[in-house]
Amino acid sequence: MPLTPAIEEPQIHESAQGPRVTPAASRTAQTPRPVPGPRPAAVPRPGRPGPARPAPPAQRGAQATPGPVPAAPVPTAPSVSAAVPQIQLIPASAEGALDAAEEAVDLLLDTGRAPGDILVLTTGDPHPWAAHELSFGEAAYWALHDAGDDVFYADAAQVERAAGRPVVVFAANGGPVDTVVGSLPVALTRAGALLIVCGDAKQINSVLGAGV
């Protein structure tokens, strides 16, 4: 009787595994907060305040699904005078007010503020950037202000000439007392959303009120 060859059972080969993806470590969002007091040393911005930092990308919408898609709302530009701006005080001496203002500007940029949103005013010595740009003449200096695409540094005594911006940083770094008294209330009217004041708390409160 002929022998039937044994049927060899097929072997099941383990499928090749792809590279394992290690999940990235989660990052804890940093809560923005002003840095009180001056830094050890100011970091002047040579020439321009530096390359413009891009604003955070717009949030992507959900994937399209079959069916009618509702129209996206049309964004409206915020008005500079739409609401009373928030006032934030960073206590600092006259010698450290400019350094404290620089810390505030760096924090604003790091948290997504566009450079063109920020105006910095000084009551005493000008910021090194302002002194540099003024060396090319008043016309070229104020042309940078009118362009509105970068942080602009100006003398607080010329606040009347400055246009409003969403954020104004006021550094009470010396100069005549009348400059602070006369320019700080005007700086408040130039701030659309936030006025950051770096200086002597007692002096600032006497000008803007004890609620600051």
Side-chain angles (χ1 to χ4, degrees), residues 31-175:
T31 304
R33 62 182 185 274
V35 180
R39 296 183 299 177
V43 181
R45 295 187 166 115
R48 302 291 192 273
R53 305 190 185 187
Q59 184 178 5
R60 297 181 181 179
Q63 294 182 353
T65 55
V69 179
V74 179
T76 57
S79 173
V80 171
S81 59
V84 177
Q86 179 185 356
I87 303 174
Q88 189 173 17
L89 172 61
I90 300 178
S93 64
E95 294 77 14
L98 187 56
D99 288 345
E102 279 288 270
E103 289 284 0
V105 170
D106 289 341
L107 182 60
L108 288 166
L109 296 175
D110 289 342
T111 53
R113 274 288 179 185
D117 286 351
I118 305 170
L119 170 68
V120 181
L121 301 171
T122 57
T123 62
D125 292 336
H127 187 277
W129 180 90
H132 174 82
E133 293 299 335
L134 281 169
S135 67
F136 298 103
E138 288 272 347
Y141 170 75
W142 286 103
L144 295 173
H145 165 270
D146 296 339
D149 56 2
D150 217 335
V151 181
F152 191 78
Y153 300 81
D155 189 333
Q158 296 180 303
V159 65
E160 294 281 359
R161 185 171 179 178
R165 292 197 178 190
V167 182
V168 174
V169 181
F170 189 97
N173 62 326

